């Protein structure tokens, strides 16, 4: 699975994983692709101090929100006081950004 790590973007200070719809949906039918996706999210989150990954149930919630030609953007949000990091997931369908509750 091809996953892009983006920095210096507008959304959440640029802490983003960007995955096209075509790449994201590969993981629906291929265990190796899903494991690659899960590993990428785990590495991304651990870089910012989070001990988590996107699991199968969460993947399916995201996949249901994604339409053809769209993209998934996974971000890490950092609150300064008190220091707290958490993830947010968005889908971009037809150039419209929508937050996905997982």
């Amino acid at each position: 699975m091809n996953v892009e790590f983006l920095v210096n973007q507008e959304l959440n200070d640029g802490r983003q994983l960007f995955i096209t719809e075509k790449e994201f949906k590969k993981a629906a039918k291929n265990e190796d692709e899903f494991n690659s996706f899960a590993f990428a999210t785990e590495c991304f989150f651990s870089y910012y101090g989070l001990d988590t990954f996107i699991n199968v149930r969460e993947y399916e919630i995201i996949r249901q929100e994604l339409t053809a030609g769209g993209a998934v953007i996974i971000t890490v949000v950092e609150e300064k006081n008190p220091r707290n990091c958490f993830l947010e997931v968005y889908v971009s369908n037809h150039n419209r950004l929508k937050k996905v509750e997982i």
Side-chain angles (χ1 to χ4, degrees):
M1 174 177 292
N2 184 10
V3 175
E4 294 180 54
F5 178 69
L6 302 177
V7 293
N8 298 324
Q9 303 296 317
E10 295 293 322
L11 189 63
N12 293 334
D13 297 326
R15 300 173 180 149
Q16 304 170 12
L17 283 182
F18 178 86
I19 310 162
T20 64
E21 172 264 342
K22 184 177 178 180
E23 287 293 318
F24 189 80
K25 288 186 175 177
K26 284 181 182 180
K29 297 179 182 175
N30 185 309
E31 185 176 354
D32 288 338
E33 289 290 340
F34 180 81
N35 289 338
S36 175
F37 166 74
F39 183 69
T41 62
E42 182 178 26
C43 291
F44 176 65
F45 297 144
S46 70
Y47 183 78
Y48 292 106
L50 297 172
D51 185 24
T52 191
F53 65 97
I54 303 288
N55 63 40
V56 173
R57 182 189 60 77
E58 294 165 333
Y59 171 86
E60 286 300 324
I61 292 169
I62 298 166
R63 189 174 67 82
Q64 290 174 6
E65 296 290 331
L66 191 58
T67 62
V72 175
I73 302 167
I74 301 170
T75 70
V76 172
V77 179
E78 182 178 7
E79 296 175 336
K80 303 271 184 202
N81 292 318
R83 189 178 187 292
N84 182 32
C85 290
F86 57 92
L87 66 102
E88 289 183 345
V89 178
Y90 296 87
V91 292
S92 175
N93 294 318
H94 309 290
N95 292 324
R96 295 194 176 145
L97 204 57
K98 178 183 177 187
K99 185 175 179 181
V100 178
E101 298 296 330
I102 56 171

